[in-house]
Amino acid sequence: MKISRIMNLVIVIVLIALSALYFITQRSLTHNKEVIRHQVILSDASSVMKDARYHVVQVQQFLTDMGATRSDEALPEVDESLKGAMKNLQELAKIMPSYRSRVNELEKQLQQVYKVGREMASAYINNGTDAGNALMKGTGGLDQESARLAESLEKISNELSDQLDNSAASSIQTLEDSEFLSLISSLISGLVIVGVIVVLRRRVLPDLNSLESSLHNISVGARDLTVRLDDKGKDELASVAHSFNVFIKGIHSLVVTQQGQSAQ
């Protein structure tokens, strides 16, 4: 195989390796962008859920205070906390459209807690402790509805937290895989280049040394014009060796002719 073809083959292999490295890097970057974008969404959703749970607890607390104090002075705080909780749930549905139906269910549960809590507070204020306790601790009372709502909120919050953890783990794994593939691609490129250099060195240097030695002998006046280089093959060195042999053969023939004429 000609040296030029070997070099062209090396260039092609290195370009393929570099292209593969570029593709791997781009794929990793694209995937990580998507993962990071998803992580931001999950983080925002988790933050909104935290605020929603806070406002829900405030609703329950102010409703309980109304019953304990036998006064509706805390009603504005109840309404304000309910408004905040509903706003947070709407934000969650906007951030995570796939949770829309579950958010609707949470809103219904929250409205039920508010309704039962208002009835309980009114019972405490107007009908006394026993009536209020019945609506707090009885079936369908404030405690039961609040526990049901808290369980639903915690379930969604845990799901978001798990998804965030899994997304982070996926991002790390992708980075590690890309790093490994990039290393393999770089090693392959390096090995190909080194291998070609070794092959070329073994093929080129001996013939070049022979050519240099022969030319040196001629330049210092050596008389051995019968030396010939190995011109077998179809590469550039074989072509140079063949041309050299033709050149030396011509000089040798000229010298022999001159010697013959001198002898006569």
Side-chain angles (χ1 to χ4, degrees):
M1 181 182 292
K2 289 187 176 183
I3 295 175
S4 59
R5 290 187 179 180
I6 295 177
M7 297 302 296
N8 290 336
L9 181 60
V10 172
I11 292 173
V12 170
I13 293 175
V14 171
L15 286 177
I16 291 174
L18 291 176
S19 299
L21 181 60
Y22 175 80
F23 173 78
I24 292 168
T25 302
Q26 285 297 111
R27 180 175 175 274
S28 174
L29 289 175
T30 301
H31 178 76
N32 283 333
K33 284 180 182 178
E34 293 298 324
V35 170
I36 291 172
R37 188 178 295 111
H38 187 55
Q39 286 177 337
V40 171
I41 292 174
L42 291 174
S43 179
D44 290 343
S46 297
S47 178
V48 168
M49 274 299 299
K50 182 179 179 181
D51 292 340
R53 295 177 75 178
Y54 168 78
H55 284 113
V56 167
V57 171
Q58 290 295 97
V59 169
Q60 297 167 353
Q61 184 63 49
F62 285 127
L63 286 172
T64 303
D65 290 345
M66 286 174 61
T69 60
R70 307 296 195 272
S71 171
D72 59 359
E73 291 181 358
L75 184 59
E77 285 83 359
V78 174
D79 291 340
E80 187 66 24
S81 296
L82 175 65
K83 182 179 178 181
M86 295 296 286
K87 180 180 179 182
N88 293 143
L89 292 177
Q90 287 298 320
E91 289 178 0
L92 176 61
K94 184 177 180 181
I95 295 171
M96 302 286 290
S98 59
Y99 278 69
R100 168 63 66 180
S101 60
R102 299 177 68 177
V103 168
N104 292 338
E105 183 61 28
L106 288 175
E107 290 176 344
K108 292 178 181 179
Q109 292 180 16
L110 178 57
Q111 291 288 359
Q112 182 65 17
V113 168
Y114 177 78
K115 176 176 177 295
V116 172
R118 285 292 303 274
E119 292 175 353
M120 177 205 71
S122 296
Y124 272 118
I125 294 170
N126 299 319
N127 301 322
T129 302
D130 291 339
N133 286 341
L135 289 175
M136 175 181 280
K137 303 181 183 300
T139 302
L142 180 62
D143 287 350
Q144 187 178 72
E145 293 298 328
S146 296
R148 181 165 161 259
L149 175 58
E151 182 180 357
S152 298
L153 289 170
E154 183 176 8
K155 184 177 180 180
I156 293 178
S157 181
N158 290 339
E159 286 180 7
L160 293 174
S161 179
D162 291 341
Q163 289 182 43
L164 188 59
D165 291 341
N166 292 336
S167 180
S170 174
S171 179
I172 293 173
Q173 184 62 47
T174 300
L175 287 174
E176 291 177 350
D177 292 343
S178 299
E179 182 179 1
F180 175 75
L181 292 175
S182 298
L183 177 62
I184 294 299
S185 180
S186 300
L187 286 176
I188 291 175
S189 299
L191 289 174
V192 168
I193 293 173
V194 172
V196 170
I197 291 174
V198 171
V199 170
L200 290 177
R201 185 177 183 276
R202 290 181 177 179
R203 289 194 58 182
V204 174
L205 285 183
D207 291 337
L208 287 179
N209 288 334
S210 298
L211 179 60
E212 190 274 335
S213 177
S214 299
L215 291 174
H216 177 73
N217 290 336
I218 294 173
S219 67
V220 297
R223 299 187 175 219
D224 186 7
L225 297 178
T226 62
V227 65
R228 296 291 185 271
L229 297 179
D230 184 8
D231 59 359
K232 295 179 181 179
K234 296 182 180 180
D235 58 13
E236 291 83 352
L237 288 176
S239 178
V240 171
H242 176 73
S243 298
F244 176 80
N245 292 338
V246 172
F247 172 70
I248 293 297
K249 182 179 179 181
I251 294 177
H252 183 239
S253 298
L254 180 62
V255 170
V256 170
T257 302
Q258 290 294 330
Q259 288 176 345
Q261 291 177 354
S262 298
Q264 293 176 1

